[in-house]
Amino acid sequence: MAHDPDTPLPPLRYAEGGVTAARGFTAAGVAAGLKKTGRPDVMLLFSEQPASAAAVFTTNQVAAAPVVVSRASVADGIVRAAVANAGNANACTGAQGMADARAMAEEAGRRLHVPAGEVLVASTGVIGVPLPITRVLAGIGEAAERLEGTPADSAAEAIMTTDTFPKQAAVTFESQGRRYTMGGMAKGSGMIRPDMATMLAFVTTDAPLTAEACRAALAGATRTSFNRITVDGETSTNDTCLLMANGAGGGSPIGPGGGAFEAVAHALAHVCGELARMIVRDGEGATKFITVVVRGALTDADAETAAMAVAGSVLFKIALFGGDANWGRAASAAGASKATVDPDLIEVSFGGVVTCREGTAVAFDEEAAAAALAEEDVEVVVDLHLGACEATVWTCDLTYDYVRINADYRS
Amino acid sequence: MAHDPDTPLPPLRYAEGGVTAARGFTAAGVAAGLKKTGRPDVMLLFSEQPASAAAVFTTNQVAAAPVVVSRASVADGIVRAAVANAGNANACTGAQGMADARAMAEEAGRRLHVPAGEVLVASTGVIGVPLPITRVLAGIGEAAERLEGTPADSAAEAIMTTDTFPKQAAVTFESQGRRYTMGGMAKGSGMIRPDMATMLAFVTTDAPLTAEACRAALAGATRTSFNRITVDGETSTNDTCLLMANGAGGGSPIGPGGGAFEAVAHALAHVCGELARMIVRDGEGATKFITVVVRGALTDADAETAAMAVAGSVLFKIALFGGDANWGRAASAAGASKATVDPDLIEVSFGGVVTCREGTAVAFDEEAAAAALAEEDVEVVVDLHLGACEATVWTCDLTYDYVRINADYRS
């Protein structure tokens, strides 16, 4: 994803419509009775014409049935539709779970007249409870009937679990002289950490990407978005991020590399970044959106490792909840990571207020620091003063409400 | 630390007196005004005769000044005294912090008529605030005057920070036909995870261990005690565990290896295990003491990795706070670890109630599970059914009070 800084990419324009903003995509969410609240919980996403695709999945060895099924179906680079349910993760559900995941793909394929092998399946919710498959299948049928003319909002809502708001983003961008659209939706608010999380994301574009270009663009985009956020350090069994490119915007096929590809990759990285930051902003019980920047690291990997360590520190996240400029916990978390750190060089600032320099407390304006920490958005910069590498990670604070939400999730 | 199971070790007998239970050790804690509460906060521990010693320290690259000073002083295997303060960690305090740590050793040495290089220094408390060194030095002087006849309780209290109770343990044991004593004290209740934690531990024995034997015994004992507990996954800047052996119990010098050494190592592992479990039981805000056993792992390292992952899962710890037999989170945490896991073989039980077998929910007695989870002590067993290796880790639940305690610690 390296881009020549002398050749500015054409600007992105914000668009409406989320996962159906791009031409040739329809989606609908319906209430199939999986959520006790009666809110939408089954989602169908459809490309009217064949689409190239790529997906990334959880790295957890305990992968849910839909992940196992979808890994196989996306392997050939063609996905025509996606079906998802919220309220039940279909994870740790054994042979029945596998049969249920396949039944979801088959029912979606039958309703949409596409092969089941071209349908990606995703589930999110409680682990270890058999899927109420009859309801899910009925929901799929209903969603298929409502695809035409339904705004994407119901689809975005149907994948929510503990999320408090639907997450959608879309942009238009120029590539090879044409204007394309890239849009998507995501869910996730807890169990969020790098290498994916309890998150589902579906991104669509009408640019004519090849499957190989989809894979390259998605790998680059997730590295700087979904893999740079952490809510609670947990890696879920169900994480899935799908990119579909149906070429409905016309033009020649775009393979990986070159200017046309770079424009698409830039738009994808933007949409994924927006969705990722929305997930953090909706972190379970979160009251603050925290940007952790580590600079001055010896290597990019060190910068990322140290930033993830600071952003992942339970104690540090609780200090920020308490409005406490506890730079000692930031320095300690960086020092406990595998990144090379010289304790006598560390500098830490909160919202621009330097609180520690050369590893030691400096006199700082406590009022200014308190004001910065009282904001909803807080930026913490840890400068290791060792090299020129930098990484940014987004996280949220850890609060009483996070404990409350997760103390009785299963019941 | 391998022991021939056919040769039973002589039984241990519980003893009173903590860190001064062994002959020839005295200790005292005094209130020097570092704690706002006016409780004891400066501690002195002294061996009347020269003692062999070994210590292990935090792995955090941001090591506090006392750790840097003490690493050097213990390197020659001789420690005659230890001085510690609570309420201020003397970490991230720069050159002044180093000077203060050295001043503590010098003042203790001066008062006790031993070289400063034979005094171990430890501090625990808030990071990044200069030590009120005048008060600390006055406290050292006062403690030195009180060494004779003071029970160990004041010393155990003087190293406490957020601890709610002092932690002491002692046993007597037989080795080479004599009866020796091993006793110790520890502090710690948050920022506790493997590779040491915000914990200080001081263990003394009157057995005549060589310095080499001290190192070997301490390495073995910490591996199965302080490195097998986790409260919140944080690695502190100040962790220190000291073993002093003064030989006041008589007998020939005991080197590493052989029956006499094994008897001492066994007693040390017992005392360290007791202290480690007390730390978990006093976990900040904890309401439950949780024993996580992983068995059926392919290797010892896998068993330990998986057990630490389950015990370290924030979501799992919150589920136990909520009394929720959420085996899915245990399976997910094990699966997200580097240990080899086959999701279709995992078995999980809570207090003997099997909730998941072959990676899938089984019908279980919800009442029995709820009763097991309502206990203060909960045992969770994750059987990977892959091999014969097993590891046990101790942790506690994560509660509202943990958040409260840590949201305003600095202020």
Side-chain angles (χ1 to χ4, degrees), chain A residues 59-63 91-95 126-130 190-191 232 234-237 284 312-316 318-319 321-329 331-344 346 356 358-361 364 366 398-411, chain B residues 59-63 91-95 126-130 190-191 232 234-237 284 312-316 318-319 321-329 331-344 346 356 358-361 364 366 398-411:
Chain A
T59 55
N60 196 315
Q61 298 170 85
V62 179
C92 301
T93 42
V126 67
I127 298 175
V129 176
M191 224 184 191
D232 53 17
E234 304 282 341
T235 303
S236 139
T237 50
E284 285 171 350
S313 161
V314 167
L315 271 178
F316 183 64
I318 292 176
F321 169 53
D324 177 6
N326 199 317
W327 57 266
R329 289 183 187 167
S332 176
S337 79
K338 305 258 181 237
T340 300
V341 166
D342 181 336
D344 294 332
I346 296 179
C356 152
E358 296 182 349
T360 310
F364 62 91
E366 290 270 4
L398 198 160
T399 69
Y400 295 117
D401 276 354
Y402 179 84
V403 176
R404 183 186 52 72
I405 290 165
N406 287 293
D408 60 354
Y409 182 69
R410 202 180 60 111
S411 33
Chain B
T59 57
N60 197 317
Q61 298 171 83
V62 180
C92 301
T93 41
V126 67
I127 298 176
V129 176
M191 223 183 189
D232 52 17
E234 305 282 340
T235 303
S236 141
T237 50
E284 286 172 348
S313 162
V314 167
L315 272 178
F316 182 65
I318 292 176
F321 169 53
D324 177 5
N326 199 318
W327 56 267
R329 289 183 188 167
S332 176
S337 80
K338 304 258 182 241
T340 300
V341 166
D342 181 336
D344 295 332
I346 296 179
C356 152
E358 295 182 351
T360 309
F364 62 91
E366 290 270 4
L398 197 161
T399 70
Y400 295 118
D401 275 354
Y402 179 84
V403 176
R404 182 185 53 72
I405 291 165
N406 287 293
D408 61 354
Y409 182 69
R410 203 181 61 110
S411 32

Side-chain angles (χ1 to χ4, degrees), chain B residues 143-159:
Chain B
E145 281 164 24
R146 295 205 198 160
L147 281 177
E148 287 304 320
T150 297
D153 307 29
S154 66
E157 201 193 329
I159 56 173

Side-chain angles (χ1 to χ4, degrees), chain B residues 306-399:
Chain B
M308 284 301 315
V310 173
S313 162
V314 167
L315 272 178
F316 182 65
K317 289 149 70 78
I318 292 176
L320 290 181
F321 169 53
D324 177 5
N326 199 318
W327 56 267
R329 289 183 188 167
S332 176
S337 80
K338 304 258 182 241
T340 300
V341 166
D342 181 336
D344 295 332
L345 295 180
I346 296 179
E347 177 177 330
V348 182
S349 65
F350 294 82
V353 181
V354 177
T355 54
C356 152
R357 198 171 272 137
E358 295 182 351
T360 309
V362 294
F364 62 91
D365 185 340
E366 290 270 4
E367 253 178 62
L373 289 171
E375 298 286 324
E376 191 182 321
D377 286 33
V378 176
E379 188 183 59
V380 181
V381 178
V382 178
D383 195 330
L384 302 180
H385 284 295
L386 286 172
C389 297
E390 178 173 328
T392 299
V393 164
W394 298 278
T395 188
C396 53
D397 54 348
L398 197 161
T399 70

Side-chain angles (χ1 to χ4, degrees), chain A residues 67-167:
Chain A
V67 168
V68 176
V69 169
S70 295
R71 271 194 192 122
S73 60
V74 81
D76 65 358
I78 298 170
V79 171
R80 188 70 183 272
V83 57
N85 73 274
N88 184 308
N90 193 13
C92 301
T93 42
Q96 186 60 49
M98 288 296 293
D100 290 346
R102 289 202 184 93
M104 286 174 68
E106 278 155 19
E107 181 63 9
R110 198 172 69 81
R111 296 284 186 165
L112 301 170
H113 311 291
V114 300
E118 295 184 8
V119 180
L120 179 131
V121 188
S123 297
T124 178
V126 67
I127 298 175
V129 176
L131 203 60
I133 187 65
T134 311
R135 290 183 194 178
V136 174
L137 298 184
I140 293 170
E142 197 186 329
E145 281 165 24
R146 293 205 198 160
L147 282 178
E148 286 304 321
T150 297
D153 307 27
S154 66
E157 202 192 328
I159 56 173
M160 287 163 60
T161 52
T162 52
D163 304 61
T164 66
F165 59 85
K167 296 162 186 72

Side-chain angles (χ1 to χ4, degrees), chain A residues 162-165 167 188-189 277-286:
Chain A
T162 52
D163 304 61
T164 66
F165 59 85
K167 296 162 186 72
S189 70
R277 285 183 288 272
M278 284 181 206
I279 288 173
V280 168
R281 207 170 278 284
D282 200 15
E284 285 171 350

